[in-house]
Amino acid sequence: MLNLDLSFFSFQLLKDFVLKGFLFSVELTVIAMIGGIFFGTILALMRLSGKKYLVIPATAYVNTMRSIPLVMVILWFYLLIPFVTGKSLGAENSAIITFIAFECAYYSEIMRAGIQSISRGQVYAGQALGMTYAQNMKLIILPQAFRNMLPVLLTQTIILFQDTSLVYAIGAYDMLKGLEVAGKNYGRPVEAYLLAVVFYFIICYSLSLLVKRLQAKIAIVR
């Protein structure tokens, strides 16, 4: 029978082992979200441009990234970058680059849906005012697309936070790694992994509740 003992859990354990990993998980999530939305929006605009020399590479990139497991992409970038550049970026920097490159494919699909959700009448109205395509996108389409897709973008960010645990595969010190190290030091690996489940659940469930409240407010505004 499995004998669980959580008596080793303390504030000191959180400070010594978990806090550093948690901060990196948050940092990775925020940077990947910002970079993913930025490059994802560019990819979405490329796919909606109607120009084949933009549509084809953007579509190929998005479909490729969305068809490969994230853990494989993490390993590829971690091993490929030192091979090409002759210099290792380290597990943390490699993870940041990987997540931006991977997540922008998912954010691009969200932004593409948001842009397409804006009625053509508003596009025509901007054109009637003499706006260029870029001005129309900047001042009319994209602000509304971001507002409409904000709950979905945040939901994807919660998934992104969960996925940060995969950097464990390249030895990056995230929250899961911190708990694993704590488990080994205290001789309680099973309990440490159970705590990891609890931590991820509390964080992600709390964030999902906030997203639901935000979604309700946006619906009221509409």
Side-chain angles (χ1 to χ4, degrees), residues 59-78:
T59 301
Y61 181 87
V62 170
N63 289 339
T64 299
M65 282 297 184
R66 285 166 57 88
S67 301
I68 303 174
L70 175 54
V71 68
M72 290 182 63
V73 180
I74 292 172
L75 291 170
W76 284 354
F77 270 82
Y78 182 65

Side-chain angles (χ1 to χ4, degrees), residues 149-195:
M149 293 294 105
L150 186 57
V152 185
L153 290 170
L154 294 177
T155 299
Q156 178 62 32
T157 302
I158 295 173
I159 297 172
L160 166 57
F161 177 77
Q162 295 172 344
D163 288 344
T164 59
S165 62
L166 294 175
V167 300
Y168 173 94
I170 57 175
Y173 200 99
D174 69 318
M175 187 168 72
L176 179 60
K177 183 68 173 180
L179 283 162
E180 184 215 13
V181 173
K184 287 181 178 178
N185 276 267
Y186 286 90
R188 290 291 175 179
V190 175
E191 289 87 340
Y193 284 121
L194 287 175
L195 283 174

